[in-house]
Amino acid sequence: MNPADRLLTVDEAAERLGTAVRFIRRLVSERRIRYVKLGKHVRIAESVLTAYIEERTVEPIRSRRAGYGLVA
């Protein structure tokens, strides 16, 4: 985590990922994502969300199918 990172609320993190707040809370409760606990408040650094997205990004397969476009 970068010290200059903006700490997001659970609502802001959910909006950034395009998910429900419940999903973010589950990630936190299962400790599948790094977070900061400030008293009773939970905050998630922007860089943590960026890393979470990058780790779960699936690259497409770029192979040509044999015989594609040929008529039998």
Side-chain angles (χ1 to χ4, degrees):
M1 185 172 87
N2 183 352
D5 264 350
R6 179 167 176 253
L7 295 176
L8 305 174
T9 65
V10 173
D11 291 336
E12 291 170 332
E15 185 177 328
R16 168 107 190 265
L17 290 181
T19 64
V21 171
R22 182 177 179 182
F23 177 72
I24 301 298
R25 292 198 186 280
R26 190 173 69 220
L27 290 177
V28 169
S29 70
E30 294 174 358
R31 295 183 184 232
R32 293 171 46 201
I33 195 167
R34 292 176 56 206
Y35 62 93
V36 178
K37 185 86 173 181
L38 301 169
K40 67 178 185 173
H41 303 285
V42 172
R43 299 291 184 260
I44 301 168
E46 284 183 325
S47 64
V48 170
L49 284 182
T50 301
Y52 183 82
I53 292 167
E54 289 174 2
E55 290 169 3
R56 282 150 185 82
T57 299
V58 178
E59 297 296 328
I61 298 173
R62 297 193 179 254
S63 64
R64 288 180 56 173
R65 294 189 302 181
Y68 180 74
L70 299 177
V71 178

